[in-house]
Structures are given as C-alpha cells and as structure tokens.
Amino acid sequence: MSQNSFNARETLKTPSGNFTYYNLQTLQNSGYAQIDRLPYSVRILLENALRREDGRVVTRQDVLNLAGWQPQESARQGMNFFPGRILLQDFTGVPVINDLAAMRAALARLGGDPLQVNPSIPVDLVIDHSVQVDFATPPQFGGVPDAMARNSSIEFQRNRERYEFLHWAQKSFKNLRVVPPATGIVHQVNIEYLASLVLTQYLDGQRLVFPDTLVGADSHTTMVNGLGVVAWGVGGIEAVSAMLDQPVAMLIPDVIGFKLTGQLPEGATPTDLTLTIVQMLRARSGGVVDKFVEFYGDGLDHLAVTDRVMIANMSPENGATVTYFPVDQQTLAYLRLTGRPPELVELVEAYYRAQGLFRRLGAPDPEFTSTLELDMGTVEPSLAGPKRPQDRVSLSQVQQKFRRALAKPRSENGYAIPPEELERRATARLNGADASLGHGAVVIAAITSCTNTSNPAVMLAAGLLARKALEKGLKVAPYVKTSLAPGSRVVASYLQHAGLLDALGKLGFGLVGFGCTTCIGNSGPLPEPVSAAIQDNNLVAAAVLSGNRNFEGRISPNTQANYLASPPLVVAYALAGTVDIDLTTQPLGLGTDGQPVYLRDIWPSTQEVQEAIRASVRPEMFRAGYADVFSGNPVWNAIHSGDSALYAWDPASTYLREPPFFLDLDRSLPPVKDICRARLLAWLGDSVTTDHISPAGDIGPHSPAGQYLQDLGVRPGEFNSYGSRRGNDQVLGRGAFANPRLKNRLTLGGPGVEGSRTVHLPDGKETSIYAAAIQYKAEGVPLLIIAGKEYGTGSSRDWAAKGPLLLGVRAVIAETFERIHRSNLIGMGVLPLQFQPGQNAQGLGLTGKELFDVEGMAELIDEHLPQRPQAERLLVVRAEGEHGRTITFQVICRLDTPLEVEYYRHGGILHRAIRSLLK
Ligand code: SF4
C-alpha cells in the first residue's frame, strides 16, 4: 500500500462508521493538482496511483504525472494501474484458469510452491457464453415450450468437462467466485449486482475505502463505465497477471469529452442513441483508439444509468479504452433501483463527494483533450449494419442501403449479386406449408445481449410492441428464428410482472436462456429447409439482433447481412420478415381486419414505456434475482470436483489440455534475438478482427480443427464452438486464422478471395494456413504477419495472440493495432511492429514472397525504449525477394512501456510472473 509521501491518508466519517482513505484534496491543497480541472476518469486513475505509491512500481513522480494531467501532451508518460477486481466470462475464463493451472504446474516442476499462484484480488467468473439456441420457442418451428430447459440441458452435456474444471477452480483457487450457467450475462450481472462502486479492505486495522475499479477478460467490460466504474477489457494473459498483483501498464490517456444536451425525442430509443454515438466517435478525426471518452453536459441530468451503460458497453465498437460517465444522482438512483443495501449507497455518496469524484449539478466542466457534442433531440430510429457496428443507418434508409449493398462488389464490402439474381426467391417447406424467401429475408431475430437486455426501457418497449402486434393480429414470418435471451433473471421477472413475457412468447420470442446466445454467435442451427433455401440459391439472408457486433461470420454462417437494432425493432423486423422494406412507409402486414398495420400503429410511446417501468421494475426483483447468484443452479451444484492444488489434466480430454507455453520454461532470461529468414504466413488488409484471427463460433467439419476432432472420434454434432474449446491448444492452434471470411493476399486467387488459405514458399503451393505453418515449423522457418489498419479489432481474445504464436508467428507488422490486441501480442512474446506513417506493404513494393530479416532488436529493445520518441524506436526490416531484389524499410517497435519491454524479454507476461514467483 501507499508510501504516502503526500500525507494523503485521512479519515472519512460516514453514518456507517469511519473509514480511512487517500484524499485527493491533499494534492489540491498542496498545489500539486487542480482536481476540478481533471476529467473524472483521470481523478480515479490519480487515486489509484496515490494509494499504490510504493517508490518502485508507482513512484512519487508517477502520482505527479497524473496530478498534473494536461489536456494535450505531445508524448504521454507511462503509468501502472492496479485494478481492484477482475471479471471473467467462460470463453476467456477457461483459458485464464487453465493458464493459472499451468503456472502452478510449471512452478512445481521448477521447484517452487504451486500454491503461490492464487489471485490476490477478487475474481468473478460468469458462465454465460456457452448456451446455444438449439431450441427456440416459435410455434412455427413446431413449438418447444421448454426451450430454455432443453438448451440448458444440452449446454451442460456439451460443456461438462469445462464446467467440472471451473467447479474445481472455484474450490482450489482463493478469491475466485463462479456464477453458474443460466444465471445471466457477465456485464449485466456486473452492473446489476457485482459492482459496488466502492471497495473496502483492512489496512493497519482500519477499513480502507477506495473506488471500485476492474479489468475484465472481455472487451465489453466497459459497460460498467456507465455506472461510474473505471474498467476496461484486457486479454486473458493480462488478467492473469493482474490477479497476481502485477499492474496493468498503459500510457496516461488523452480524454475526449463528449457533451450531451437535450433529451431523446419520441420514437427514438437509447439503442438509437448508442448507435449514433458509436458512429460519431468512429468518425472523429483521429478516432478514439487508446483514449478515454468521458461524458459531460446537462443531458446527463436526464440520462438514466440504464441508458449510460448501453453507450459504455459499445466502447470496443467506438474504439475507446473507456467510455466513462461520472458518478452522480442518477448513479445513486440506479443503485437504489437495483436493490443495493442503503448503507452501501450512503458510503458511495459520502466517498465520491469527499473525493471530488461526484458530478454535482452546476459544477464546472473538466478540461478535455478535445470535445464532441450531441443534442439527443436529433437522434432518430436506427439500425447498424449490415457488416459493421459503426455503420449506422436510419430506419428509413435500411431498404435502400441494403439493396445497394446487394449489388456492390465484394471489394466495396457489398455482396456482388448479379443484376439478374437480385429478385431471386426460394421456397422453404416448413410445417407442411411453403414459405417464400428472397434476399434480405430475416431468418434470425434475436432479443439478446447485455447491451440491450440491461435496459428495462427497451425490453418493456419490445413487450409492449409485441402485445399491440398481437392485438392487431400480426404474426411473425414462418422462417424467422426468434429468441429472447436476457442478461439476468430480473428481466424475466419484470416482463412477467408487466404481463409482457407472455405477449413476447406468443409472437415466438420465448425465453431460450439467460446468456449471450446469438450475440456471441451461438444462434444455433436454422431449420434445414431454411438453410438449404439460402445456400442453394445464394441468398443474402439477414439477422436482426439487439447485440453489439455484426462482423462477418459471427452471428450465423447463414446470415451474410447482420443488423444491430433495439429490441422493439427486432420484433418489428421479425413481423416484417425482411430488411428489404421501408418500415417508415410500408406496412408490417395486414391485421385481422384486413387493414395494413404500420410500425407507427404499434410503436409504444415514451409515456407508456415509462409507466411500465414505474409499475414493474422493483428493487425486490433484483434482490430476489441475485439472492442465490452463486448457488442457484442445482445442476451446477451437483457437480463433483476435487480441490487439489495441481489440476490433473485428462489425456483423453478434447476440451482441456495443459497449454504448452511453460513446458520448456527456464529460470533464466533468454537473450533478445533478431528474426532471421522469416516467411510471411498471411498478408491481410484493414480491420482484421480477432474473429478473423481466432474465430469463436462454428468449427467446420473440413477445417483442420474439425479434422483433428474427428480423428479423436468427436462427431461434428459434438464439436461445440471454437470459443468453448479454448482450453485445448490443439484446436485453437488449428483455429488460428480459420475464419472462412479471411482474405489473404498471398492466396493464388488474390486479395478478394476468402478462406483460411495461404501459399507455402518457396514452392508456391496453396494450402491451409495451418498446414503451411506446420510445414514451416518443420523447416525451422519463423513467420510474420503483415496487416493493414486496426489489426486485431473486435473482442478481446488472448487466443488471437496465442493461436498465431502456436503457428510460429514471431512478429506482426501492421499499419495500426487495436489496443488490447497489441498488448496481447506482447503478453505472448509476439512482437508488434508498425509501419511508419504513410507506409504500407503495397506502397513499399513488397510481393509477400520475400525472405524477411528484422534487425537491430538486441540493441533497441531495452528498458529505455519507451522513453524514446517513435522516430527513434525503429527496427530495420530487410525483405529479400526473388532474384536477389531486396527492399529495406524501417518499422516502429510498439513496445510502449517499460513493463511491455520486460514482458517481451521474458517471452511473455506469464513467463515473467513465474520467474518472479521463483525468486
Ligand atoms: S457476447 Fe454479447 S451478450 Fe455476451 S458479454 Fe459479450 S456483448 Fe454481452
């Protein structure tokens, strides 16, 4: 704890007793900081540094750097941040726990005590990502009234090994709690229950209080920023490191101020506001990557926390590290609404006010690096898609833009449907009747995702719209797979109380589970006649979901067009059955009276929604919903597992294996060496996502991972998803770059061709990326990846770094990197290199067939590297082409902090942690 060289430790008197705390006002009183001037999010970082000042990892100068934060700086200093807790979900959590188990095994092998590996701060893991929509309730699919129970039962069968492993982990590791499946979605559980706004611990016999902060191994961890908690997504390896009391290294951020004024107009939802803000931040000159965004302005006075968290949730989509809303009266109201104990609310208010962390009405605006502004009165009903979350499209333009995309070439992100096929229709026979589908047919309509299901306003709006649609006699088109998967049981309680769960169910939106489902790509299979109609006729079918990601291949292999929309619009498009419609002018269908019914006829008013909230959303529902949050699943409770220190991996398991990363770990530090005679494994374009690098969804039966599983006797129906098999390095190594939508310029077909293919050199034979990597490994050839802008954008996945490492990739040269992915690469010992501004592979005249040397590493990569300006952090790349033609260029070494340099030198973040535990 703090060296306290600023004498900042003081006593806070509250109605619930006295607490000790590190008072930010001390810095103000001694002239080191002008607290009111700092963005609120920076004040939280400052408190963290003040409290953790130890003269070593956090120095007095580090505190002063934050205290003197300036809106504009040409070169920001590095900083170390100690989160108060860690959040995990099961897709990333299983590999994280597997890494911890492997570290224990490595420590034992090297003569250390395996029990030294234990989280030193609270860790919560919510099992939410594995449930799939195998069964949905739509009557048109024959009606499965117990869909949720059946999905849950299949989920347990599929994931038995993983769940037994997590059950062992919760007993074997201290400070780890597991929220069992069928309880809720990680970020919604976090905002509704886990986040307490303040954390306490004993210090010298006194209760120390400090702000609740966290990092999570999931990019949407930022959702809790809407509640005033500074938090962001990190890779699993960084999460493990933070658990072991290692700081998260970063640069002191720029903070972009986002001023909100006005109020949403009638007809617009908080989802529309969220999509508008994502688009604005994406379009900002210079973007917001690596920056904090903080909201201010009198619009906040009317903006409920349930709306704020939606905006904060989509931080990965807008690109910012953190999308922060300061704590204020709305925050306290939300804590009360969600049934938090009154003494906690009291302490939160007392602490945040005492620290100057509470946004008071009329308080001066902080200073920001730059600002944006939105009058919420101008927001209009919107969707985002069909391929990227930042591509907002007004409701009135969906049809027009979809039609345009159908005809556009693939190189312009279109679907390249020839003119003579634009009006093509296909027939699917369902329940004894023929249904006709064309391009734009909505085959998936899913109310899903923590982004939206956390907000009673949009959930109740969906229910009210469903009830009105039923009253008019409207029906959902027979080929639409509809589902309702809320992020907590509380949603079902208030929908039930309002009488709307039934209305949604009658339209087909019955409960299918409490988990991520379609949002993470677990949309489950479509009826065979529907998928056959799509595939046989090359139809561009659509999904409309209330999620936050719609990258190609994520939602379903059968839907090439994927639109994000508010829950009521999801219901509306299910009724319309197509996105090839203008819902502002064309009817949804005919009512029982034979008259056309328009969206405006059944759209609930703001007043109706607010009345439904007032009548049906109660604190006692939250208290009851979370009373047994860790023990409310009897199937989970019935799992038998041991609590041994070392995990006994089952050699026959196809889900869990000891990862190979520490098997050959040596006590001593390896020397940094140049990369010599490397080949390019893939040459990729802009916006390559972690879904492209390490897909989470379907494992194809003919893919290398599918073949491997079949060789082990696993049938395709039992494959489960890549995400659920991240505890098996053999599957994930084979899954690296296995996304069928990957475009690798090295393939013989050229840049536009999709597939997990590459060319092995020098023989020039085209093969799968995995097969080429294995061949290169046998030949002792190190590998590189070349990429365009925003490499590694998307969900935080350390497997997107681990997978390429397993294939032999030593460095990635990109035009720019996504923040989390760059750290993940370093965390696994893969070097991120960046083309100099204005340069790229094509401009330099590379063909991709060269032999590459990266030179000067031993001289450059030392602890002084991050202090140098980028222009002095250059490594030489020598690319020797055919006939001896050599192109030489320089790249920026993107090890940005002293800790990153250390991680890289150790071969990875966890390697360093093991070596320090051995000391
Ligand atoms: S997959 Fe979707 S629903 Fe699940 S945590 Fe991520 S954003 Fe939320």
Side-chain angles (χ1 to χ4, degrees):
M1 209 39 76
S2 182
Q3 194 180 64
N4 201 13
S5 75
F6 296 92
N7 290 320
R9 194 169 150 188
E10 292 183 10
T11 300
L12 177 72
K13 294 186 175 155
T14 79
S16 348
N18 291 353
F19 291 82
T20 188
Y21 76 120
Y22 287 86
N23 189 352
L24 291 176
Q25 303 305 323
T26 318
L27 297 171
Q28 167 115 4
N29 298 341
S30 1
Y32 294 118
Q34 205 182 322
I35 300 292
D36 275 0
R37 193 186 62 76
L38 299 176
Y40 289 88
S41 48
V42 172
R43 299 178 206 183
I44 302 269
L45 298 181
L46 176 58
E47 189 281 340
N48 197 277
L50 185 63
R51 179 166 40 86
R52 296 298 303 237
E53 183 204 352
D54 61 358
R56 198 177 53 84
V57 183
V58 180
T59 63
R60 183 179 169 84
Q61 186 56 48
D62 291 329
V63 178
L64 292 173
N65 289 345
L66 276 163
W69 181 90
Q70 293 299 321
Q72 276 106 19
E73 291 267 8
S74 51
R76 293 277 184 204
Q77 300 287 326
M79 59 166 283
N80 288 324
F81 177 75
F82 288 90
R85 60 190 176 95
I86 307 283
L87 190 67
L88 304 171
Q89 38 90 340
D90 57 300
F91 268 19
T92 53
V94 168
V96 159
I97 306 295
N98 210 26
D99 282 346
L100 282 176
M103 289 175 75
R104 279 189 171 178
L107 216 56
R109 272 195 299 273
L110 292 165
D113 174 8
L115 286 175
Q116 277 184 288
V117 178
N118 257 317
S120 61
I121 52 176
V123 179
D124 290 301
L125 188 157
V126 181
I127 302 178
D128 60 353
H129 273 54
S130 295
V131 61
Q132 303 196 15
V133 191
D134 292 287
F135 294 98
T137 49
Q140 66 269 31
F141 289 165
V144 188
D146 57 349
M148 186 159 70
R150 293 173 74 169
N151 289 332
S152 178
S153 161
I154 296 182
E155 177 195 351
F156 263 94
Q157 285 164 30
R158 277 196 192 112
N159 296 286
R160 185 185 52 79
E161 279 182 44
R162 298 169 68 234
Y163 292 178
E164 284 172 0
F165 174 64
L166 294 176
H167 205 267
W168 162 80
Q170 73 176 5
K171 291 202 261 178
S172 184
F173 289 99
K174 286 186 199 146
N175 283 330
L176 170 68
R177 297 187 297 188
V178 176
V179 175
T183 306
I185 300 176
V186 58
H187 307 304
Q188 191 162 341
V189 173
N190 194 23
I191 57 165
E192 290 180 355
Y193 177 75
L194 297 172
S196 54
L197 274 291
V198 286
L199 297 173
T200 57
Q201 68 184 58
Y202 277 93
L203 178 64
D204 308 330
Q206 290 182 303
R207 282 185 301 172
L208 173 74
V209 59
F210 53 97
D212 181 6
T213 57
L214 65 134
V215 292
D218 188 281
S219 49
H220 294 100
T221 299
T222 52
M223 187 167 189
V224 75
N225 299 163
L227 201 52
V229 175
V230 166
W232 61 89
V234 293
I237 32 196
E238 276 178 291
V240 174
S241 163
M243 282 177 204
L244 302 175
D245 207 29
Q246 301 295 310
V248 178
M250 59 191 285
L251 293 177
I252 293 175
D254 285 349
V255 184
I256 310 301
F258 199 123
K259 186 171 188 177
L260 288 176
T261 59
Q263 293 190 49
L264 281 177
E266 192 64 46
T269 65
T271 316
D272 304 324
L273 172 63
T274 302
L275 298 178
T276 305
I277 289 172
V278 167
Q279 187 188 37
M280 286 177 71
L281 288 170
R282 274 279 166 186
R284 176 186 177 270
S285 164
V288 290
V289 173
D290 287 338
K291 302 180 195 321
F292 281 19
V293 169
E294 184 169 307
F295 286 83
Y296 71 108
D298 55 16
L300 294 191
D301 301 343
H302 313 287
L303 196 69
V305 163
T306 45
D307 300 344
R308 299 176 181 189
V309 291
M310 292 172 75
I311 296 164
N313 174 289
M314 289 190 76
S315 202
E317 283 71 30
N318 72 44
T321 307
V322 158
T323 302
Y324 189 74
F325 289 84
V327 172
D328 61 8
Q329 287 295 352
Q330 291 282 353
T331 322
L332 301 179
Y334 183 75
L335 292 179
R336 290 188 194 103
L337 174 75
T338 48
R340 263 64 172 224
E343 54 281 10
L344 173 70
V345 185
E346 230 166 51
L347 176 57
V348 168
E349 181 167 8
Y351 177 77
Y352 278 77
R353 282 192 188 278
Q355 288 283 53
L357 296 169
F358 194 91
R359 189 185 77 91
R360 288 174 288 111
L361 292 184
D365 293 335
E367 292 177 14
F368 294 109
T369 304
S370 66
T371 56
L372 290 166
E373 183 167 346
L374 173 68
D375 172 0
M376 291 188 278
T378 61
V379 170
E380 52 183 359
S382 307
L383 286 78
K387 295 189 183 187
R388 300 190 312 175
Q390 64 265 42
D391 295 335
R392 187 187 68 82
V393 41
S394 305
L395 182 63
S396 58
Q397 293 187 336
V398 171
Q399 179 179 39
Q400 195 188 336
K401 290 202 170 170
F402 173 72
R403 286 195 173 175
R404 241 184 270 154
L406 275 182
K408 270 193 196 167
R410 289 214 171 256
S411 57
E412 290 173 33
N413 255 335
Y415 297 103
I417 302 293
E420 65 279 10
E421 291 182 18
L422 287 173
E423 300 304 324
R424 174 175 277 179
R425 297 200 72 80
T427 302
R429 184 126 190 108
L430 295 161
N431 296 326
D434 284 344
S436 172
L437 294 80
H439 294 298
V442 174
V443 293
I444 291 176
I447 302 179
T448 175
S449 182
C450 54
T451 318
N452 278 277
T453 68
S454 54
N455 192 333
V458 289
M459 296 304 285
L460 288 163
L464 291 167
L465 187 136
R467 183 154 74 193
K468 291 180 185 217
L470 285 170
E471 285 163 5
K472 293 276 185 190
L474 294 181
K475 287 197 179 100
V476 167
Y479 46 79
V480 191
K481 183 172 183 179
T482 41
S483 59
L484 167 64
S488 82
R489 298 186 206 161
V490 180
V491 179
S493 303
Y494 66 67
L495 283 174
Q496 175 92 48
H497 186 271
L500 298 173
L501 198 58
D502 189 44
L504 283 162
K506 282 189 180 140
L507 272 191
F509 289 92
L511 284 172
V512 294
F514 295 105
C516 303
T517 63
T518 302
C519 187
I520 190 61
N522 290 346
S523 52
L526 294 180
E528 200 281 326
V530 175
S531 51
I534 294 169
Q535 283 162 19
D536 297 349
N537 296 282
N538 191 26
L539 289 183
V540 179
V544 182
L545 69 150
S546 59
N548 50 26
R549 292 257 155 105
N550 49 359
F551 302 132
E552 290 172 319
R554 174 160 170 129
I555 304 305
S556 161
N558 285 305
T559 58
Q560 290 190 60
N562 300 289
Y563 287 92
L564 310 178
S566 65
L569 279 181
V570 171
V571 179
Y573 274 99
L575 293 166
T578 180
V579 294
D580 188 8
I581 185 173
D582 181 355
L583 289 186
T584 62
T585 57
Q586 292 174 264
L588 290 161
L590 297 180
T592 30
D593 56 2
Q595 293 302 307
V597 179
Y598 292 87
L599 180 61
R600 58 179 175 270
D601 300 330
I602 59 170
W603 191 264
S605 68
T606 306
Q607 194 187 341
E608 283 174 286
V609 173
Q610 289 307 321
E611 273 166 18
I613 294 175
R614 265 193 297 278
S616 298
V617 186
R618 305 268 173 77
E620 53 270 25
M621 290 176 178
F622 290 87
R623 286 192 209 107
Y626 285 103
D628 57 357
V629 59
F630 299 109
S631 60
N633 187 324
V635 188
W636 171 263
N637 296 343
I639 292 175
H640 291 289
S641 64
D643 61 356
S644 54
L646 295 178
Y647 184 70
W649 282 278
D650 175 359
S653 173
T654 58
Y655 274 100
L656 284 160
R657 290 164 47 93
E658 180 172 2
F661 308 119
F662 318 122
L663 289 178
D664 303 321
L665 184 80
D666 198 82
R667 279 174 175 262
S668 52
L669 201 61
V672 173
K673 288 192 199 144
D674 286 351
I675 300 172
C676 300
R677 314 308 278 167
R679 287 287 185 187
L680 210 53
L681 182 63
W683 179 355
L684 308 171
D686 292 343
S687 300
V688 167
T689 68
T690 46
D691 271 297
H692 288 114
I693 307 169
S694 177
D698 266 4
I699 301 174
H702 304 298
S703 66
Q707 297 285 349
Y708 161 81
L709 288 171
Q710 287 176 84
D711 289 347
L712 294 177
V714 182
R715 292 194 307 268
E718 299 163 342
F719 278 1
N720 213 338
S721 57
Y722 279 113
S724 66
R725 288 193 182 267
R726 287 201 181 122
N728 181 342
D729 56 283
Q730 291 294 325
V731 172
L732 266 297
R734 286 167 170 82
F737 301 107
N739 189 318
R741 302 276 177 224
L742 188 80
K743 292 179 191 141
N744 176 9
R745 293 180 68 94
L746 292 185
T747 53
L748 298 177
V753 174
E754 294 180 338
S756 178
R757 311 283 294 167
T758 195
V759 167
H760 177 269
L761 293 165
D763 58 54
K765 284 196 187 125
E766 186 172 309
T767 179
S768 73
I769 287 190
Y770 176 71
I774 292 303
Q775 196 174 341
Y776 281 129
K777 194 172 264 185
E779 295 161 355
V781 176
L783 298 173
L784 302 178
I785 300 289
I786 281 185
K789 299 185 183 69
E790 299 180 338
Y791 180 71
T793 205
S795 308
S796 56
R797 290 189 189 151
D798 54 347
W799 269 103
K802 288 175 174 171
L805 175 74
L806 289 173
L807 297 187
V809 172
R810 297 275 311 278
V812 177
I813 311 176
E815 287 177 58
T816 58
F817 288 93
E818 191 276 343
R819 178 186 64 83
I820 302 174
H821 187 62
R822 187 188 63 80
S823 349
N824 282 343
L825 287 172
I826 299 164
M828 286 315 298
V830 177
L831 189 61
L833 300 171
Q834 193 166 305
F835 286 109
Q836 293 195 76
Q839 289 194 344
N840 59 30
Q842 277 162 288
L844 288 163
L846 297 174
T847 65
K849 295 184 180 164
E850 295 85 355
L851 271 167
F852 292 85
D853 293 325
V854 183
E855 298 171 353
M857 288 174 45
E859 296 76 45
L860 188 75
I861 297 180
D862 59 27
E863 65 271 24
H864 305 298
L865 173 75
Q867 275 93 55
R868 299 186 185 119
Q870 284 204 341
E872 292 173 26
R873 292 162 56 180
L874 300 177
L875 289 166
V876 173
V877 180
R878 215 173 291 286
E880 184 188 313
E882 290 162 314
H883 318 300
R885 175 176 169 265
T886 298
I887 297 171
T888 304
F889 56 100
Q890 291 181 308
V891 289
I892 304 160
C893 180
R894 285 295 312 275
L895 300 174
D896 289 351
T897 68
L899 261 183
E900 286 182 355
V901 171
E902 229 183 301
Y903 294 153
Y904 181 72
R905 295 180 64 179
H906 275 267
I909 197 166
L910 303 184
H911 303 68
R912 176 182 177 274
I914 294 172
R915 287 196 184 100
S916 57
L917 286 174
L918 280 167
K919 281 183 198 154

